[in-house]
């Protein structure tokens, strides 16, 4: 009689199992060794990274110290350059060298300044783009409100006509009643509508007045803008000739811009210097040291705007 399990097969199975357990033990040992190697490598790498980070931080500190030294050196050089320029100017002044009068006025410049002033006064009477946009928005808002109100009124009238003829309780009657209930509230709030209408009427009046003024003042505005362009060209030419010449530049100019344009950004330098000179000529600034002088308390809004524009960074 045979047994359910063959003894030899069972023995072989046990042997195979023992062999597999042995292999597994070896694999686990190998895995453990790998883990130890990995941890060791990570520790070594961490130490190296710490060393690298410390080295980078030290290099950054070194660079910062060098930059500070360079900055201090540049400041010293700038101070020495100013000292040399002052001594040179003093020597040339004592020798009788002339100083360029960049602010000099002549009949043509006086005429241009007068035209610029008149043109700006005309522009000041016109609405700003922001004010015009605000008034136009007020008109559009009322037009939209009116259109919505007209639509609601038409729907109420149409629904009322059906309610007057359709039998009570019919489908047509119920539908018309629903449309009436929906449209009727949109006709209410009469005070708000009246206020919007008044605001829109005032806005239209202001816009129409501005359009007429724009037509009446168009020539003065155009002449003023052209005069400013000519004055700017004259100022730019005057500065270019002065920098290229041999006469001394005024103190206010060298204090603000130096005696020469930088090696890079010469065009921006000249543009800022031109803006400053145009400001001085336009507003009669005669301060010999401060380029823009002190803005007077009674200065107009336009002068304050021009002052802030001229104060912007020179050429950087």
């Amino acid at each position: 009689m045979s047994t359910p399990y063959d003894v030899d097969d069972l023995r072989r199975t046990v042997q195979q199992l023992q062999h597999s357990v042995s292999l597994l033990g070896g694999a686990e040992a190998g895995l453990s060794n790998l883990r130890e190697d990995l941890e060791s490598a990570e520790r070594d790498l961490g130490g190296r990274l710490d060393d690298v980070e410390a080295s980078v931080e030290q290099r950054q500190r070194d660079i910062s110290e060098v930059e500070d030294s360079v900055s201090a050196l540049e400041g010293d050089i700038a101070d020495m350059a100013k000292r040399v320029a002052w001594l040179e100017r003093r020597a040339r002044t004592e020798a009788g060298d002339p100083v360029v009068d960049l602010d000099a006025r002549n009949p043509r410049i006086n005429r241009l300044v007068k035209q610029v002033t008149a043109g700006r006064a005309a522009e000041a009477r016109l609405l700003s783009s922001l004010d015009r946009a605000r008034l136009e928005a007020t008109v559009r808002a009322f037009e939209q409100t009116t259109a919505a109100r007209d639509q609601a009124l038409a729907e109420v009238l149409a629904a009322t006509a059906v309610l007057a003829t359709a039998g009570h309780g019919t489908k047509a009657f119920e539908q018309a009643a629903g449309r009436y209930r929906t449209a009727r509230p949109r006709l209410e709030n009469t005070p708000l509508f009246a206020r919007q209408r008044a605001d829109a009427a005032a806005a239209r009046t202001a816009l129409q007045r501005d359009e007429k003024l724009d037509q009446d003042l168009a020539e003065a505005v155009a002449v003023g803008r052209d005069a400013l362009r000519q004055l700017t060209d004259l100022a730019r030419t005057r500065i270019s000739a002065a920098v290229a010449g041999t006469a001394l530049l005024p103190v206010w100019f060298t204090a603000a811009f130096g005696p020469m344009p930088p090696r890079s950004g010469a065009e921006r330098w000249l543009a800022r210097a031109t803006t400053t000179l145009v400001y001085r000529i336009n507003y009669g600034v005669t301060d010999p040291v401060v380029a823009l002088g002190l803005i007077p308390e009674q200065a107009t809004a336009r002068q304050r705007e021009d002052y802030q524009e001229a104060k912007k960074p020179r050429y950087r």
Side-chain angles (χ1 to χ4, degrees):
M1 180 175 180
S2 61
T3 61
Y5 302 101
D6 185 272
V7 174
D8 293 335
D9 290 341
L10 183 59
R11 185 181 295 109
R12 284 193 296 273
T13 299
V14 170
Q15 290 174 349
Q16 291 173 355
L17 181 59
Q18 290 174 341
H19 180 66
S20 297
V21 169
S22 176
L23 291 176
L24 179 60
E28 289 179 343
L31 180 59
S32 177
N33 292 334
L34 287 175
R35 286 174 176 166
E36 292 177 357
D37 292 342
L38 178 60
E39 291 173 355
S40 177
E42 288 177 343
R43 287 193 297 271
D44 292 342
L45 181 59
R48 293 177 184 177
L49 286 176
D50 290 340
D51 293 341
V52 170
E53 290 176 352
S55 178
V56 169
E57 291 176 355
Q58 181 60 47
R59 295 297 182 273
Q60 290 175 337
R61 287 192 293 270
D62 293 342
I63 291 173
S64 178
E65 291 176 359
V66 171
E67 288 176 343
D68 292 341
S69 299
V70 170
S71 179
L73 182 59
E74 288 176 343
D76 292 341
I77 292 174
D79 290 340
M80 286 188 291
K82 291 178 181 178
R83 178 69 175 173
V84 170
W86 180 83
L87 291 172
E88 180 185 3
R89 183 182 185 88
R90 181 174 180 179
R92 292 183 62 185
T93 301
E94 291 175 352
D97 285 1
V99 178
V100 177
D101 186 5
L102 292 176
D103 299 321
R105 305 281 286 263
N106 56 42
R108 183 188 178 192
I109 288 180
N110 290 335
R111 175 175 55 82
L112 291 175
V113 170
K114 185 177 180 180
Q115 291 172 338
V116 169
T117 302
R120 286 178 167 178
E123 286 187 86
R125 296 176 60 188
L126 299 174
L127 290 172
S128 67
S129 58
L130 182 62
D131 288 338
R132 172 169 282 275
R134 178 179 55 80
L135 293 172
E136 290 173 344
T138 299
V139 173
R140 284 196 302 272
F142 177 70
E143 290 174 347
Q144 292 169 358
T145 299
T146 302
R149 187 181 178 87
D150 290 345
Q151 178 64 28
L153 179 59
E155 293 175 5
V156 166
L157 293 175
T160 302
V162 175
L163 291 173
T165 56
H168 189 276
T170 63
K171 182 177 181 181
F173 185 92
E174 295 299 330
Q175 289 177 341
R179 291 195 295 272
Y180 179 88
R181 285 191 295 268
T182 300
R184 183 65 183 81
R186 287 149 55 192
L187 293 176
E188 297 175 357
N189 208 347
T190 301
L192 176 61
F193 181 79
R195 185 164 61 252
Q196 280 189 308
R197 179 169 53 194
D199 291 343
R204 286 195 185 96
T205 300
L207 289 169
Q208 290 169 359
R209 182 171 59 248
D210 187 66
E211 288 175 2
K212 185 177 185 309
L213 267 178
D214 187 43
Q215 294 173 359
D216 295 342
L217 302 176
E219 182 177 357
V221 171
V223 170
R225 291 176 178 175
D226 183 65
L228 179 60
R229 180 190 60 76
Q230 293 183 52
L231 191 60
T232 301
D233 290 343
L234 284 172
R236 181 186 177 95
T237 300
R238 184 175 285 184
I239 291 172
S240 297
V243 171
T246 57
L248 286 169
L249 291 167
V251 173
W252 68 261
F253 187 92
T254 54
F257 301 102
M260 293 290 291
R263 285 178 293 182
S264 61
E267 175 58 35
R268 292 190 297 275
W269 179 89
L270 182 56
R272 299 311 307 167
T274 300
T275 299
T276 299
L277 180 55
V278 168
Y279 177 89
R280 287 178 64 92
I281 293 174
N282 257 332
Y283 295 106
V285 177
T286 58
D287 193 306
V289 177
V290 181
L292 300 177
L294 296 177
I295 189 165
E297 293 182 1
Q298 68 275 19
T300 63
R302 183 55 188 262
Q303 181 176 354
R304 295 182 186 280
E305 180 182 330
D306 290 345
Y307 181 83
Q308 293 301 324
E309 174 65 23
K311 277 183 63 177
K312 289 180 179 179
R314 296 195 296 273
Y315 45 83
R316 291 183 180 176

